[in-house]
Amino acid sequence: MSDKQKKPATMATHLIAGGGAGMCEALACHPLDTIKVRMQLSRRNRGPDAKRKGFFTVGKDIVTKEGPLALYKGLGAVITGIVPKMAIRFSSFEFYKSLAPISPDTGKIAASAVFLSGLAAGATEAVAVVTPMEVVKIRLQAQHHSMADPLDVPRYRNAAHAAYTIVREEGFRTLYRGVTLTALRQSTNQAVNFTAYTYFKQWALKYQGLEELPSYQHMVLGLVSGAMGPLSNAPIDTIKTRLQRSSAKPGESALTRIRYIAADMFKHEGFRAFYKGITPRVMRVAPGQAVTFTVYEYIRGILERLNAPEEDKGYRE
C-alpha cells in the first residue's frame, strides 16, 4: 500500500496509544529523571574542596540514604499528566502537520514543515500540561533528599498535596513558573525528535522495502532521535529546574530571576554547571523516546487494525 493511501490516526487513537506509551515510559525511566534533578540542584560552592558527584554516585546516595523508592519521588505528578501530555503531543503534531502542503512528487510534506510541526507540538504540550506537572515533580524530588540539609522537614506529602500547597501559599501562577523555558525546551526537543524519527523511519522503510517496521527498529530509531534534543538545550533545562525549585521574591519578574540564576551559576560553579545532569538526562530522554515510539506504534497499529478497513490502516508521514 502506498503512503498516499494512508489516513491519519484518529484523536482517540492518539489518546490511547500516547497515554499507554507515556505510562510505560514514565515507569521505566523516572529514576533517571530523579537523579538528573538532584545533580542539577547540587551546588559545588558549599565547601572549598567539594567534589563533583557523578551520575552513579548520586544514584547510590539516594538509594543508600533514602531507599530505592526515593528514585520514584514525583512520579505521581508525572503519571497524572502523562496521558494528556502524550495525547496532546501526538495529536497536535499530526494536526499541525496536516496544515502543511503535500508535495505532488513525493506525497509527503517537507522536512521544514515536520520540524515546525514538532516545534509547535512541543510548545503546546509545555503550556497545557508539562510546566505545572514539572513544578510539582521538582518540588517533590528536591525536598528532604540526601543532598539537602538533613534537618529540612518535608513540606509536601504527595503530588496532589504539593499542587494544593503551592497554589494556596504562592498562587496559581507559580505552577507556570518557567513556562517560557519549558516551552523552549519542549519545542526544540520535539522538533528535533519528530523530524529525526520521521525521516529515519521513512529511510528505513524505503531501504528495506517494508510497509511497517518491526518493534525493535522503532526502539532503535526512537533512541537515536531522542538523544538529540537534550544535547542541544541542556542549559535551558538546568536553569528551568532551579527556577521551578525556588520560591519567587515579591516584585521579581521571571526574566530577572532567570538572569540571576544564570549569573550565579556561572560565577560560583562555572560553565559546566549548565550541563549538570546531562548524562542522566540523555539516559532518561533517549530510552524514554525509544519506549514511547515503540509502544505508541504498537498500540496504534492494534487500534487501527481493529477499527479500520484494511485499506485505511496507517497514517501519513
mmCIF file of all heavy atoms in Angstrom, residues 236-275:
data_model
loop_
_atom_site.group_PDB
_atom_site.id
_atom_site.type_symbol
_atom_site.label_atom_id
_atom_site.label_comp_id
_atom_site.label_asym_id
_atom_site.label_seq_id
_atom_site.Cartn_x
_atom_site.Cartn_y
_atom_site.Cartn_z
ATOM 1 N N ILE A 236 19.135 25.294 29.120
ATOM 2 C CA ILE A 236 17.743 25.717 29.331
ATOM 3 C C ILE A 236 17.098 24.862 30.419
ATOM 4 O O ILE A 236 16.425 25.366 31.315
ATOM 5 C CB ILE A 236 16.938 25.605 28.018
ATOM 6 C CG1 ILE A 236 17.500 26.564 26.974
ATOM 7 C CG2 ILE A 236 15.457 25.896 28.266
ATOM 8 C CD1 ILE A 236 16.874 26.386 25.596
ATOM 9 N N ASP A 237 17.321 23.559 30.349
ATOM 10 C CA ASP A 237 16.702 22.642 31.308
ATOM 11 C C ASP A 237 17.258 22.840 32.711
ATOM 12 O O ASP A 237 16.512 22.783 33.691
ATOM 13 C CB ASP A 237 16.931 21.196 30.848
ATOM 14 C CG ASP A 237 16.152 20.195 31.683
ATOM 15 O OD1 ASP A 237 14.916 20.310 31.729
ATOM 16 O OD2 ASP A 237 16.773 19.316 32.300
ATOM 17 N N THR A 238 18.555 23.085 32.839
ATOM 18 C CA THR A 238 19.160 23.280 34.158
ATOM 19 C C THR A 238 18.648 24.554 34.818
ATOM 20 O O THR A 238 18.291 24.562 36.004
ATOM 21 C CB THR A 238 20.697 23.333 34.047
ATOM 22 O OG1 THR A 238 21.168 22.118 33.443
ATOM 23 C CG2 THR A 238 21.339 23.489 35.419
ATOM 24 N N ILE A 239 18.609 25.659 34.071
ATOM 25 C CA ILE A 239 18.098 26.929 34.616
ATOM 26 C C ILE A 239 16.630 26.775 34.984
ATOM 27 O O ILE A 239 16.178 27.249 36.033
ATOM 28 C CB ILE A 239 18.288 28.063 33.597
ATOM 29 C CG1 ILE A 239 19.782 28.320 33.360
ATOM 30 C CG2 ILE A 239 17.617 29.345 34.090
ATOM 31 C CD1 ILE A 239 20.055 29.308 32.250
ATOM 32 N N LYS A 240 15.857 26.095 34.126
ATOM 33 C CA LYS A 240 14.434 25.882 34.393
ATOM 34 C C LYS A 240 14.226 25.111 35.693
ATOM 35 O O LYS A 240 13.341 25.444 36.492
ATOM 36 C CB LYS A 240 13.805 25.120 33.223
ATOM 37 C CG LYS A 240 12.344 24.753 33.430
ATOM 38 C CD LYS A 240 11.924 23.612 32.544
ATOM 39 C CE LYS A 240 12.548 22.317 32.946
ATOM 40 N NZ LYS A 240 12.083 21.813 34.272
ATOM 41 N N THR A 241 15.032 24.078 35.910
ATOM 42 C CA THR A 241 14.897 23.270 37.117
ATOM 43 C C THR A 241 15.119 24.112 38.364
ATOM 44 O O THR A 241 14.361 24.035 39.333
ATOM 45 C CB THR A 241 15.907 22.100 37.090
ATOM 46 O OG1 THR A 241 15.588 21.245 35.980
ATOM 47 C CG2 THR A 241 15.830 21.285 38.377
ATOM 48 N N ARG A 242 16.155 24.948 38.365
ATOM 49 C CA ARG A 242 16.451 25.777 39.538
ATOM 50 C C ARG A 242 15.390 26.868 39.720
ATOM 51 O O ARG A 242 15.056 27.232 40.846
ATOM 52 C CB ARG A 242 17.835 26.395 39.394
ATOM 53 C CG ARG A 242 18.931 25.334 39.363
ATOM 54 C CD ARG A 242 20.279 25.895 39.719
ATOM 55 N NE ARG A 242 21.302 24.851 39.675
ATOM 56 C CZ ARG A 242 22.523 24.999 40.164
ATOM 57 N NH1 ARG A 242 22.874 26.134 40.734
ATOM 58 N NH2 ARG A 242 23.402 24.010 40.085
ATOM 59 N N LEU A 243 14.865 27.372 38.621
ATOM 60 C CA LEU A 243 13.815 28.388 38.708
ATOM 61 C C LEU A 243 12.556 27.810 39.335
ATOM 62 O O LEU A 243 11.924 28.426 40.199
ATOM 63 C CB LEU A 243 13.502 28.922 37.305
ATOM 64 C CG LEU A 243 12.392 29.971 37.202
ATOM 65 C CD1 LEU A 243 12.862 31.287 37.816
ATOM 66 C CD2 LEU A 243 11.996 30.188 35.746
ATOM 67 N N GLN A 244 12.175 26.606 38.934
ATOM 68 C CA GLN A 244 10.954 25.985 39.434
ATOM 69 C C GLN A 244 11.120 25.465 40.860
ATOM 70 O O GLN A 244 10.141 25.326 41.580
ATOM 71 C CB GLN A 244 10.541 24.841 38.504
ATOM 72 C CG GLN A 244 10.085 25.326 37.130
ATOM 73 C CD GLN A 244 9.776 24.186 36.181
ATOM 74 O OE1 GLN A 244 10.400 23.125 36.231
ATOM 75 N NE2 GLN A 244 8.805 24.388 35.303
ATOM 76 N N ARG A 245 12.346 25.200 41.263
ATOM 77 C CA ARG A 245 12.604 24.699 42.612
ATOM 78 C C ARG A 245 12.409 25.782 43.666
ATOM 79 O O ARG A 245 11.942 25.519 44.772
ATOM 80 C CB ARG A 245 14.046 24.154 42.683
ATOM 81 C CG ARG A 245 14.573 23.890 44.086
ATOM 82 C CD ARG A 245 13.814 22.766 44.765
ATOM 83 N NE ARG A 245 14.316 22.493 46.097
ATOM 84 C CZ ARG A 245 13.897 23.087 47.205
ATOM 85 N NH1 ARG A 245 12.951 24.014 47.135
ATOM 86 N NH2 ARG A 245 14.393 22.764 48.382
ATOM 87 N N SER A 246 12.764 27.025 43.344
ATOM 88 C CA SER A 246 12.778 28.102 44.335
ATOM 89 C C SER A 246 11.472 28.887 44.348
ATOM 90 O O SER A 246 10.702 28.866 43.389
ATOM 91 C CB SER A 246 13.939 29.058 44.045
ATOM 92 O OG SER A 246 13.809 29.622 42.758
ATOM 93 N N SER A 247 11.236 29.564 45.457
ATOM 94 C CA SER A 247 10.071 30.443 45.583
ATOM 95 C C SER A 247 10.434 31.835 45.064
ATOM 96 O O SER A 247 11.559 32.309 45.263
ATOM 97 C CB SER A 247 9.630 30.539 47.048
ATOM 98 O OG SER A 247 9.254 29.265 47.532
ATOM 99 N N ALA A 248 9.481 32.483 44.433
ATOM 100 C CA ALA A 248 9.738 33.805 43.870
ATOM 101 C C ALA A 248 9.740 34.872 44.950
ATOM 102 O O ALA A 248 9.043 34.762 45.954
ATOM 103 C CB ALA A 248 8.684 34.133 42.818
ATOM 104 N N LYS A 249 10.542 35.916 44.746
ATOM 105 C CA LYS A 249 10.562 37.051 45.652
ATOM 106 C C LYS A 249 9.530 38.071 45.190
ATOM 107 O O LYS A 249 9.293 38.213 43.990
ATOM 108 C CB LYS A 249 11.957 37.681 45.667
ATOM 109 C CG LYS A 249 13.046 36.736 46.178
ATOM 110 C CD LYS A 249 14.411 37.399 46.130
ATOM 111 C CE LYS A 249 15.499 36.440 46.606
ATOM 112 N NZ LYS A 249 16.854 37.063 46.529
ATOM 113 N N PRO A 250 8.894 38.790 46.115
ATOM 114 C CA PRO A 250 7.877 39.782 45.741
ATOM 115 C C PRO A 250 8.438 40.822 44.773
ATOM 116 O O PRO A 250 9.517 41.382 45.001
ATOM 117 C CB PRO A 250 7.507 40.422 47.086
ATOM 118 C CG PRO A 250 7.834 39.375 48.104
ATOM 119 C CD PRO A 250 9.053 38.673 47.588
ATOM 120 N N GLY A 251 7.710 41.051 43.687
ATOM 121 C CA GLY A 251 8.105 42.069 42.732
ATOM 122 C C GLY A 251 9.189 41.640 41.762
ATOM 123 O O GLY A 251 9.605 42.431 40.912
ATOM 124 N N GLU A 252 9.643 40.404 41.850
ATOM 125 C CA GLU A 252 10.722 39.935 40.978
ATOM 126 C C GLU A 252 10.121 39.256 39.749
ATOM 127 O O GLU A 252 9.326 38.327 39.859
ATOM 128 C CB GLU A 252 11.609 38.950 41.735
ATOM 129 C CG GLU A 252 12.817 38.489 40.946
ATOM 130 C CD GLU A 252 13.681 37.536 41.751
ATOM 131 O OE1 GLU A 252 13.135 36.547 42.298
ATOM 132 O OE2 GLU A 252 14.890 37.776 41.859
ATOM 133 N N SER A 253 10.516 39.720 38.571
ATOM 134 C CA SER A 253 9.993 39.143 37.336
ATOM 135 C C SER A 253 10.722 37.841 37.012
ATOM 136 O O SER A 253 11.810 37.563 37.516
ATOM 137 C CB SER A 253 10.176 40.126 36.175
ATOM 138 O OG SER A 253 11.553 40.299 35.883
ATOM 139 N N ALA A 254 10.092 37.041 36.138
ATOM 140 C CA ALA A 254 10.692 35.770 35.744
ATOM 141 C C ALA A 254 12.021 35.984 35.030
ATOM 142 O O ALA A 254 12.987 35.262 35.254
ATOM 143 C CB ALA A 254 9.724 35.001 34.846
ATOM 144 N N LEU A 255 12.059 37.017 34.176
ATOM 145 C CA LEU A 255 13.286 37.302 33.437
ATOM 146 C C LEU A 255 14.421 37.682 34.380
ATOM 147 O O LEU A 255 15.566 37.237 34.209
ATOM 148 C CB LEU A 255 13.043 38.421 32.423
ATOM 149 C CG LEU A 255 14.243 38.802 31.547
ATOM 150 C CD1 LEU A 255 14.715 37.593 30.748
ATOM 151 C CD2 LEU A 255 13.871 39.954 30.604
ATOM 152 N N THR A 256 14.099 38.489 35.394
ATOM 153 C CA THR A 256 15.112 38.878 36.384
ATOM 154 C C THR A 256 15.630 37.660 37.121
ATOM 155 O O THR A 256 16.835 37.519 37.361
ATOM 156 C CB THR A 256 14.514 39.879 37.388
ATOM 157 O OG1 THR A 256 14.069 41.041 36.693
ATOM 158 C CG2 THR A 256 15.555 40.282 38.430
ATOM 159 N N ARG A 257 14.721 36.763 37.483
ATOM 160 C CA ARG A 257 15.101 35.552 38.198
ATOM 161 C C ARG A 257 15.976 34.646 37.330
ATOM 162 O O ARG A 257 16.962 34.070 37.803
ATOM 163 C CB ARG A 257 13.837 34.802 38.625
ATOM 164 C CG ARG A 257 14.097 33.585 39.493
ATOM 165 C CD ARG A 257 14.678 33.971 40.824
ATOM 166 N NE ARG A 257 14.925 32.803 41.658
ATOM 167 C CZ ARG A 257 15.766 32.780 42.669
ATOM 168 N NH1 ARG A 257 16.461 33.865 42.985
ATOM 169 N NH2 ARG A 257 15.935 31.687 43.381
ATOM 170 N N ILE A 258 15.633 34.527 36.059
ATOM 171 C CA ILE A 258 16.413 33.706 35.136
ATOM 172 C C ILE A 258 17.828 34.256 34.995
ATOM 173 O O ILE A 258 18.821 33.512 35.037
ATOM 174 C CB ILE A 258 15.721 33.626 33.755
ATOM 175 C CG1 ILE A 258 14.441 32.797 33.851
ATOM 176 C CG2 ILE A 258 16.658 33.019 32.708
ATOM 177 C CD1 ILE A 258 13.586 32.849 32.609
ATOM 178 N N ARG A 259 17.921 35.572 34.850
ATOM 179 C CA ARG A 259 19.238 36.199 34.729
ATOM 180 C C ARG A 259 20.066 35.990 35.988
ATOM 181 O O ARG A 259 21.273 35.714 35.916
ATOM 182 C CB ARG A 259 19.075 37.694 34.449
ATOM 183 C CG ARG A 259 18.577 38.020 33.048
ATOM 184 C CD ARG A 259 18.347 39.513 32.904
ATOM 185 N NE ARG A 259 17.955 39.865 31.549
ATOM 186 C CZ ARG A 259 17.547 41.085 31.197
ATOM 187 N NH1 ARG A 259 17.474 42.059 32.117
ATOM 188 N NH2 ARG A 259 17.215 41.327 29.945
ATOM 189 N N TYR A 260 19.427 36.121 37.145
ATOM 190 C CA TYR A 260 20.142 35.949 38.409
ATOM 191 C C TYR A 260 20.652 34.511 38.554
ATOM 192 O O TYR A 260 21.802 34.283 38.936
ATOM 193 C CB TYR A 260 19.221 36.288 39.584
ATOM 194 C CG TYR A 260 19.823 35.932 40.924
ATOM 195 C CD1 TYR A 260 20.789 36.748 41.517
ATOM 196 C CD2 TYR A 260 19.448 34.752 41.574
ATOM 197 C CE1 TYR A 260 21.364 36.407 42.734
ATOM 198 C CE2 TYR A 260 20.013 34.399 42.794
ATOM 199 C CZ TYR A 260 20.965 35.232 43.366
ATOM 200 O OH TYR A 260 21.540 34.882 44.558
ATOM 201 N N ILE A 261 19.795 33.535 38.247
ATOM 202 C CA ILE A 261 20.180 32.129 38.360
ATOM 203 C C ILE A 261 21.346 31.815 37.429
ATOM 204 O O ILE A 261 22.324 31.162 37.825
ATOM 205 C CB ILE A 261 18.977 31.220 38.051
ATOM 206 C CG1 ILE A 261 17.929 31.328 39.156
ATOM 207 C CG2 ILE A 261 19.422 29.764 37.889
ATOM 208 C CD1 ILE A 261 16.636 30.606 38.851
ATOM 209 N N ALA A 262 21.244 32.276 36.175
ATOM 210 C CA ALA A 262 22.307 32.005 35.203
ATOM 211 C C ALA A 262 23.628 32.643 35.639
ATOM 212 O O ALA A 262 24.689 32.007 35.582
ATOM 213 C CB ALA A 262 21.895 32.519 33.825
ATOM 214 N N ALA A 263 23.563 33.913 36.096
ATOM 215 C CA ALA A 263 24.776 34.610 36.522
ATOM 216 C C ALA A 263 25.382 33.960 37.760
ATOM 217 O O ALA A 263 26.611 33.806 37.869
ATOM 218 C CB ALA A 263 24.457 36.074 36.799
ATOM 219 N N ASP A 264 24.524 33.561 38.700
ATOM 220 C CA ASP A 264 25.010 32.941 39.922
ATOM 221 C C ASP A 264 25.648 31.581 39.638
ATOM 222 O O ASP A 264 26.689 31.237 40.222
ATOM 223 C CB ASP A 264 23.838 32.768 40.898
ATOM 224 C CG ASP A 264 24.287 32.206 42.243
ATOM 225 O OD1 ASP A 264 24.974 32.930 42.984
ATOM 226 O OD2 ASP A 264 23.936 31.056 42.539
ATOM 227 N N MET A 265 25.057 30.823 38.750
ATOM 228 C CA MET A 265 25.623 29.535 38.373
ATOM 229 C C MET A 265 27.000 29.709 37.750
ATOM 230 O O MET A 265 27.957 28.998 38.101
ATOM 231 C CB MET A 265 24.692 28.810 37.389
ATOM 232 C CG MET A 265 23.442 28.220 38.011
ATOM 233 S SD MET A 265 22.340 27.529 36.755
ATOM 234 C CE MET A 265 23.389 26.279 36.014
ATOM 235 N N PHE A 266 27.107 30.654 36.827
ATOM 236 C CA PHE A 266 28.377 30.862 36.123
ATOM 237 C C PHE A 266 29.455 31.367 37.073
ATOM 238 O O PHE A 266 30.617 30.936 37.012
ATOM 239 C CB PHE A 266 28.179 31.856 34.979
ATOM 240 C CG PHE A 266 29.410 32.040 34.123
ATOM 241 C CD1 PHE A 266 29.750 31.094 33.175
ATOM 242 C CD2 PHE A 266 30.223 33.151 34.274
ATOM 243 C CE1 PHE A 266 30.886 31.246 32.387
ATOM 244 C CE2 PHE A 266 31.358 33.317 33.500
ATOM 245 C CZ PHE A 266 31.681 32.355 32.550
ATOM 246 N N LYS A 267 29.081 32.261 37.995
ATOM 247 C CA LYS A 267 30.036 32.853 38.926
ATOM 248 C C LYS A 267 30.579 31.836 39.926
ATOM 249 O O LYS A 267 31.790 31.789 40.189
ATOM 250 C CB LYS A 267 29.380 34.012 39.672
ATOM 251 C CG LYS A 267 30.304 34.685 40.691
ATOM 252 C CD LYS A 267 29.580 35.834 41.383
ATOM 253 C CE LYS A 267 30.491 36.491 42.430
ATOM 254 N NZ LYS A 267 29.780 37.613 43.124
ATOM 255 N N HIS A 268 29.695 31.036 40.507
ATOM 256 C CA HIS A 268 30.102 30.143 41.580
ATOM 257 C C HIS A 268 30.408 28.711 41.147
ATOM 258 O O HIS A 268 31.107 27.983 41.865
ATOM 259 C CB HIS A 268 29.011 30.104 42.668
ATOM 260 C CG HIS A 268 28.820 31.402 43.383
ATOM 261 N ND1 HIS A 268 27.774 32.252 43.105
ATOM 262 C CD2 HIS A 268 29.563 32.004 44.345
ATOM 263 C CE1 HIS A 268 27.863 33.322 43.888
ATOM 264 N NE2 HIS A 268 28.937 33.196 44.636
ATOM 265 N N GLU A 269 29.877 28.305 40.010
ATOM 266 C CA GLU A 269 30.027 26.911 39.615
ATOM 267 C C GLU A 269 30.663 26.707 38.253
ATOM 268 O O GLU A 269 31.011 25.584 37.895
ATOM 269 C CB GLU A 269 28.657 26.222 39.647
ATOM 270 C CG GLU A 269 27.963 26.317 41.002
ATOM 271 C CD GLU A 269 26.534 25.819 40.931
ATOM 272 O OE1 GLU A 269 26.340 24.599 40.771
ATOM 273 O OE2 GLU A 269 25.609 26.652 41.037
ATOM 274 N N GLY A 270 30.775 27.792 37.476
ATOM 275 C CA GLY A 270 31.406 27.668 36.178
ATOM 276 C C GLY A 270 30.458 27.249 35.070
ATOM 277 O O GLY A 270 29.308 26.887 35.300
ATOM 278 N N PHE A 271 30.977 27.282 33.848
ATOM 279 C CA PHE A 271 30.165 26.987 32.673
ATOM 280 C C PHE A 271 29.630 25.560 32.684
ATOM 281 O O PHE A 271 28.522 25.285 32.214
ATOM 282 C CB PHE A 271 30.992 27.222 31.404
ATOM 283 C CG PHE A 271 30.240 26.936 30.133
ATOM 284 C CD1 PHE A 271 29.297 27.832 29.659
ATOM 285 C CD2 PHE A 271 30.457 25.755 29.422
ATOM 286 C CE1 PHE A 271 28.584 27.569 28.493
ATOM 287 C CE2 PHE A 271 29.754 25.488 28.264
ATOM 288 C CZ PHE A 271 28.824 26.404 27.799
ATOM 289 N N ARG A 272 30.402 24.638 33.259
ATOM 290 C CA ARG A 272 29.982 23.233 33.258
ATOM 291 C C ARG A 272 28.705 23.011 34.067
ATOM 292 O O ARG A 272 28.015 22.011 33.877
ATOM 293 C CB ARG A 272 31.104 22.366 33.821
ATOM 294 C CG ARG A 272 32.328 22.264 32.928
ATOM 295 C CD ARG A 272 33.375 21.365 33.541
ATOM 296 N NE ARG A 272 32.926 19.985 33.671
ATOM 297 C CZ ARG A 272 33.639 19.029 34.248
ATOM 298 N NH1 ARG A 272 34.828 19.314 34.746
ATOM 299 N NH2 ARG A 272 33.155 17.810 34.339
ATOM 300 N N ALA A 273 28.397 23.954 34.958
ATOM 301 C CA ALA A 273 27.185 23.815 35.762
ATOM 302 C C ALA A 273 25.928 23.790 34.895
ATOM 303 O O ALA A 273 24.916 23.184 35.268
ATOM 304 C CB ALA A 273 27.092 24.955 36.779
ATOM 305 N N PHE A 274 25.992 24.457 33.741
ATOM 306 C CA PHE A 274 24.827 24.498 32.858
ATOM 307 C C PHE A 274 24.544 23.131 32.232
ATOM 308 O O PHE A 274 23.459 22.912 31.694
ATOM 309 C CB PHE A 274 25.033 25.537 31.755
ATOM 310 C CG PHE A 274 25.035 26.951 32.254
ATOM 311 C CD1 PHE A 274 26.229 27.591 32.558
ATOM 312 C CD2 PHE A 274 23.847 27.637 32.446
ATOM 313 C CE1 PHE A 274 26.236 28.895 33.033
ATOM 314 C CE2 PHE A 274 23.844 28.936 32.917
ATOM 315 C CZ PHE A 274 25.042 29.564 33.214
ATOM 316 N N TYR A 275 25.525 22.249 32.307
ATOM 317 C CA TYR A 275 25.354 20.908 31.748
ATOM 318 C C TYR A 275 25.289 19.846 32.831
ATOM 319 O O TYR A 275 25.459 18.659 32.553
ATOM 320 C CB TYR A 275 26.489 20.601 30.764
ATOM 321 C CG TYR A 275 26.316 21.338 29.450
ATOM 322 C CD1 TYR A 275 26.779 22.643 29.305
ATOM 323 C CD2 TYR A 275 25.641 20.757 28.388
ATOM 324 C CE1 TYR A 275 26.596 23.335 28.118
ATOM 325 C CE2 TYR A 275 25.455 21.430 27.199
ATOM 326 C CZ TYR A 275 25.929 22.720 27.067
ATOM 327 O OH TYR A 275 25.735 23.400 25.900
#
